[in-house]
Amino acid sequence: MTISNTNKIIILSITLLITGLLSFTSKAESVIKATMYKPLQCGCCDDYAAYLEKNGFEVKIKSMRSLAQTKRTAGVPQGYEGCHTLFVDGYVVDGLVPVNTINKLLNERPEITGITLPGMPWGAPGMDSRPKSAPLISYGFQKGSSDTFVYAKD
């Protein structure tokens, strides 16, 4: 049995269409969705969201007058707060945590509530107009506990 040129073209077209759809689906699935709660007018938070989006995240931003209740509800330990709170794939990420540390968290999937980079240190993503003067230390935490531990140094 021989396949006509018309049938070959149809088969090739269908194959290319299916390959394209599979490629699009895998790219769409690789986007990491996150929701950021940030102060109303915080430029570093906006820069941080753009940084995440350049690194494969889709960030939904919710600006708020106060984040105190959000941070308490999320379990961020007092004294370890960053400038914003991000919720991503079941974890809390507080502050300007570098993307490689977030990816480590999402790949390792430890049994913790989340991680935090306290304050707004120079050299952190979103605060990179000046070089960092020390390693960026992200701390792991568990909701309901004030205990923290060093999760990553960047």
Side-chain angles (χ1 to χ4, degrees):
M1 177 176 145
T2 60
I3 300 175
S4 71
N5 283 341
T6 303
N7 285 342
K8 287 179 183 176
I9 292 171
I10 291 171
I11 291 169
L12 180 61
S13 297
I14 291 171
T15 302
L16 290 172
L17 177 65
I18 290 171
T19 302
L21 288 173
L22 290 175
S23 172
F24 177 76
T25 302
S26 65
K27 286 180 183 175
E29 290 173 357
S30 68
V31 171
I32 302 166
K33 295 186 178 192
T35 302
M36 174 191 284
Y37 292 84
K38 71 173 204 69
L40 288 174
Q41 296 177 341
C42 180
C44 76
C45 292
D46 294 330
D47 291 348
Y48 184 75
Y51 160 80
L52 289 177
E53 288 176 344
K54 287 179 190 172
N55 285 282
F57 288 74
E58 181 182 306
V59 182
K60 181 179 181 181
I61 298 174
K62 296 187 177 191
S63 297
M64 305 176 70
R65 291 194 190 286
S66 171
L67 295 178
Q69 184 60 44
T70 300
K71 290 180 183 297
R72 273 195 302 278
T73 301
V76 179
Q78 191 170 15
Y80 285 85
E81 301 94 340
C83 58
H84 61 264
T85 304
L86 187 75
F87 294 91
V88 57
D89 202 15
Y91 287 102
V92 176
V93 177
D94 202 68
L96 302 165
V97 177
V99 74
N100 58 320
T101 300
I102 297 173
N103 288 333
K104 175 184 177 196
L105 175 73
L106 298 177
N107 288 328
E108 291 179 351
R109 306 220 45 92
E111 292 185 24
I112 61 175
T113 301
I115 56 178
T116 181
L117 177 63
M120 297 171 67
W122 288 113
M127 292 290 292
D128 46 7
S129 62
R130 290 189 194 169
K132 62 183 176 182
S133 59
L136 302 173
I137 301 174
S138 297
Y139 297 89
F141 64 90
Q142 192 72 324
K143 189 173 183 175
S145 173
S146 60
D147 294 338
T148 61
F149 63 93
V150 174
Y151 183 74
K153 291 182 182 182
D154 292 290

